[in-house]
Amino acid sequence: MNLHVRLEAAKNALNTLIRQPVATFMTVFALAIVLALPVGLFAALNNLQQLLGHWQDQAQISLFLHQEASAAQIQNLQTLLERGTGVVSVRYVGKAAALTEFEHTAGMTAAIQTLGENPLPASFVVELNPLAQSPSSLQTLVAYWGRQPGVASAQSDLGWVARLQAILSLGQRAVWILTGLLAVGVILVMGNTIRLHIAQRRDEIDVESLVGATRAFIRRPFLYQGLFQGAVAGLLAWMIVAITVWALQGPVERLAELYGTRFHLLGLSSGQGLVLIAASALLGWLGSRLAVGRHLDHTFS
C-alpha cells in the first residue's frame, strides 16, 4: 500500500511538471547552467592536470656519476631509479655521448679538443611526472638518489613544481568554494520554485489537512517535484559540459599540433555524470523539503 501511495505521488508530481512545460523548462535550464559552471571548472582542472602530466621532460633530474663508478653500481642505480615513484623514463648518458651532446649544444669542439681528454662524467637523466608527488617528497627522493654509491652529484630544479602544485591546489579549493556557493543557490532556487507550487495549491493543501492528511502525504508530491527537476537539471548540465568539450576539441587539437604534441580533452566519465545527476537530484529534493517544511510548520501550528 505504501509503495502504491509513493508511486501515485510521483506520478502526480510528474504530471504537474508536464502541465507547466514553460515554467518547468525555465527552472530546470537555469539550474543546469548553475550546475554546469563548477562541473565545467572541475573538468578544466582535470584536463590541465592531464596536460601537465605530459610535461615530464620539464621535471628532469640529472645524476652525475663518479669517474670510477663501476658497471655494477651503474646497473644497480638504474634499477633503483626505474622503481622510483612518478618516474617516467630513465636514460643513461655515457661519457662519449655526453661529450657529443655538449659539443653539439655549446659549439665548443675546438676548446674541448685542446684538453686532450673527455672531462664530462657519465650521468643518468630521470624524467618525472611533476604531479606524482609533493615537492618535498621529490626533494627527499632526489637527495636519496644523490647518496647512492657511484653518484657524485644530483642536479634538479623543482621550484617550479612547487609553484605548479600550489596553483593547482588553489584552483581546486576555489572550485570547491564556488561549488558550495552554487549548491546553496540551487537549493534556494528550487525552494522558491516549490513555494510557488505550494501557493498555487494552497486551498487544496488546506482541505487535505482538514480531512486528516498527514504531513508526509502532503509533502511527498513536492519532494518528488524537486527530485525530478534536480535530476533533469543534472542531466542537462552533463550535456552542456559534453557539448562544450566537443566544441573546444578541434581548436585544442590544432593548438597542440603547433607545439608538436597531441592532446585530447576529457569530459565527464559515465560514473562522474551519474554522480552529478544524483547530487543535483539530492539538492532539488533538499530545496523542496526546506520549502515544504516551512509551509507545513505554519499550516499545522
Side-chain angles (χ1 to χ4, degrees):
M1 181 63 180
N2 191 31
L3 179 60
H4 175 73
V5 172
R6 291 178 182 274
L7 291 177
E8 190 66 25
K11 180 181 177 181
N12 292 336
L14 188 59
N15 289 334
T16 300
L17 297 177
I18 293 175
R19 285 196 300 268
Q20 301 175 343
V22 176
T24 300
F25 174 78
M26 292 178 63
T27 300
V28 169
F29 194 70
L31 293 176
I33 294 176
V34 172
L35 292 168
L37 180 57
V39 173
L41 292 177
F42 271 118
L45 281 177
N46 289 336
N47 280 286
L48 180 59
Q49 291 178 341
Q50 179 197 8
L51 176 62
L52 295 176
H54 293 313
W55 290 359
Q56 294 93 354
D57 57 324
Q58 299 296 320
Q60 193 175 88
I61 312 299
S62 297
L63 300 175
F64 299 101
L65 306 181
H66 288 293
Q67 296 287 353
E68 63 275 11
S70 65
Q73 288 176 334
I74 293 175
Q75 182 60 45
N76 292 336
L77 179 60
Q78 181 169 359
T79 302
L80 177 66
L81 295 176
E82 291 174 346
R83 294 176 178 175
T85 302
V87 172
V88 177
S89 66
V90 176
R91 180 168 59 94
Y92 175 73
V93 181
K95 291 172 58 67
L99 180 61
T100 301
E101 183 176 338
F102 182 76
E103 290 177 343
H104 177 73
T105 303
M108 300 180 64
T109 304
I112 293 178
Q113 287 178 349
T114 60
L115 297 176
E117 61 178 358
N118 182 1
L120 300 179
S123 64
F124 279 103
V125 178
V126 184
E127 293 182 354
L128 298 170
N129 185 336
L131 304 179
Q133 297 187 64
S134 66
S136 59
S137 298
L138 288 176
Q139 292 286 6
T140 301
L141 184 62
V142 173
Y144 172 70
W145 288 341
R147 295 193 299 267
Q148 297 304 305
V151 178
S153 63
Q155 179 179 338
S156 64
D157 180 16
L158 298 178
W160 75 273
V161 175
R163 292 190 292 271
L164 169 65
Q165 295 194 9
I167 291 173
L168 289 177
S169 178
L170 176 62
Q172 290 173 345
R173 181 163 297 186
V175 170
W176 277 113
I177 293 174
L178 179 62
T179 300
L181 293 175
L182 292 178
V184 174
V186 169
I187 293 174
L188 294 178
V189 170
M190 182 56 63
N192 185 63
T193 302
I194 295 301
R195 278 196 293 270
L196 293 177
H197 286 287
I198 292 174
Q200 294 173 356
R201 298 179 54 188
R202 182 178 300 275
D203 293 338
E204 179 183 342
I205 293 174
D206 291 340
V207 172
E208 290 178 347
S209 63
L210 289 175
V211 298
T214 64
R215 292 172 62 99
F217 181 86
I218 298 174
R219 180 175 55 204
R220 190 173 293 121
F222 297 105
L223 296 182
Y224 280 122
Q225 288 183 31
L227 189 72
F228 291 153
Q229 291 183 91
V232 175
L235 178 60
L236 284 179
W238 186 4
M239 293 174 61
I240 290 173
V241 173
I243 292 173
T244 302
V245 170
W246 172 80
L248 295 176
Q249 185 62 56
V252 168
E253 289 182 349
R254 287 192 292 271
L255 180 61
E257 289 176 358
L258 294 177
Y259 284 92
T261 185
R262 300 182 63 183
F263 183 72
H264 183 76
L265 284 176
L266 297 177
L268 298 181
S269 65
S270 299
Q272 291 171 333
L274 293 176
V275 170
L276 170 61
I277 294 174
S280 59
L282 178 61
L283 291 175
W285 177 87
L286 182 58
S288 299
R289 185 175 180 84
L290 293 177
V292 179
R294 291 185 60 184
H295 177 79
L296 292 182
D297 289 341
H298 175 74
T299 300
F300 285 86
S301 59

